[in-house]
Amino acid sequence: MSERMLVKRMLVQDELAFEEFFESHFSRLFRFALTRLDGDADAAEEVAQATLCTAVARLATYRGESALFTWLCTICRHEIGDEYRRRGRTSTSASLREESEECRAALESLAAAVEEGPEARLDQKEITRLVQVTLDNLPWTYASALEWKYIHGLPVKEIAGKLQLGQKAAESLLGRARAAFRDGFSTLTGVSWRMRPLREGSGGTETQ
C-alpha cells in the first residue's frame, strides 16, 4: 500500500490504518530520537509518541512530496528540540547527533566498514550522511547492533548481552542487520555495497 493511500485511510478514521501507521513508524522514530537524546530511552519513547500524535493531527498537511518517514523526522526534530528546552538546554548547545564532531567521526568509522563498488565515487561527507539515513531507517535492534559492532568495536558476546540474546542468535541478528544495511544503503546510492566484518575485539575493519 502506498503511503498516500495509508494517509487517506487515516483521514477517514480507518482504525486498521492507524494501527499500521503506529506499528510501522514507532520503533524507527524511537531510535531516531534515542540517538539524539543521549540514549535516554524514556525521553525517546515520549518524543516518538508525541511525534506520532502530532503527525496524526497534521495528516491533512502531508502532500506526499517526501517519504512519510522523512516528514515524521521533521516533526520529531521539533519534538526533540522541545525536550531539550524542557531540560533547560538548546538543540544547538546539545549538539544533536548529526551535527556533532563525535557523530561525524563515528559515522565516518562506520562508513569505512562499507566497501565501495568500482562504479561509485561518492564524497565522504555524502557517504556519512547516507550511512546515518540508512541507520535511521533500520529496526532499532539492527541499527544498534551495527553501531555497537562497527562504531564501538564491541565483541559479539557483549552485543548479545545488550540484546539479551545468546551469542549465536546475536551473530545471526548481525548477519541480518548487515544485509538490511547493505540493501538500504544500495537503494540510496544506486550501486552495490557490502560491509567488511570487524575482527573480534578490534576497533578497525578488515576485508573478508
Side-chain angles (χ1 to χ4, degrees), residues 13 18 23 26 37 54 76 81 90 93 121 130 134 136 149 153 157 159 166 181 185 198:
Q13 305 303 307
F18 282 110
E23 289 177 2
F26 178 81
L37 288 168
T54 300
C76 192
T90 66
S93 65
R121 293 293 182 271
L130 293 174
T134 304
D136 284 338
K149 180 70 173 176
K157 183 178 181 179
I159 293 171
F181 181 93
F185 202 69
L198 282 181

Side-chain angles (χ1 to χ4, degrees), residues 16-115:
L16 290 178
F18 282 110
E19 290 179 11
E20 181 179 340
F21 174 68
F22 277 82
E23 289 177 2
S24 298
H25 295 98
F26 178 81
S27 62
R28 295 164 69 188
L29 285 170
F30 171 80
R31 185 188 173 279
F32 183 88
L34 186 68
T35 58
R36 292 161 174 80
L37 288 168
D38 303 323
D40 187 331
D42 290 337
E45 183 174 354
E46 291 180 8
V47 164
Q49 290 175 343
T51 297
L52 290 169
C53 290
T54 300
V56 166
R58 298 180 184 173
L59 279 177
T61 68
Y62 177 69
R63 305 302 181 192
E65 296 173 353
S66 61
L68 186 56
F69 185 65
T70 300
W71 182 68
L72 290 171
C73 285
T74 299
I75 297 173
C76 192
R77 286 189 178 93
H78 288 294
E79 296 292 342
I80 290 169
D82 289 342
E83 177 63 24
Y84 273 120
R85 283 188 284 277
R86 283 192 290 273
R87 295 179 178 190
R89 300 164 62 187
T90 66
S91 58
T92 300
S93 65
S95 295
L96 294 185
R97 187 178 180 198
E98 64 269 30
E99 298 168 353
S100 69
E101 290 294 334
E102 291 80 3
C103 164
R104 285 194 289 271
L107 292 177
E108 285 169 7
S109 175
L110 180 53
V114 182
E115 185 168 315

Side-chain angles (χ1 to χ4, degrees), residues 140-194:
W140 178 83
T141 52
Y142 283 10
S144 296
L146 290 175
E147 289 188 353
W148 290 330
K149 180 70 173 176
Y150 288 93
I151 292 178
H152 302 293
L154 298 185
V156 174
K157 183 178 181 179
E158 189 168 343
I159 293 171
K162 286 179 174 289
L163 295 174
Q164 298 184 332
L165 296 173
Q167 186 161 333
K168 290 293 184 183
E171 290 173 354
S172 177
L173 183 143
L174 274 166
R176 296 194 302 274
R178 282 192 291 266
F181 181 93
R182 181 186 62 239
D183 291 345
F185 202 69
S186 296
T187 298
L188 288 175
T189 60
V191 294
S192 297
W193 303 73
R194 70 185 180 89

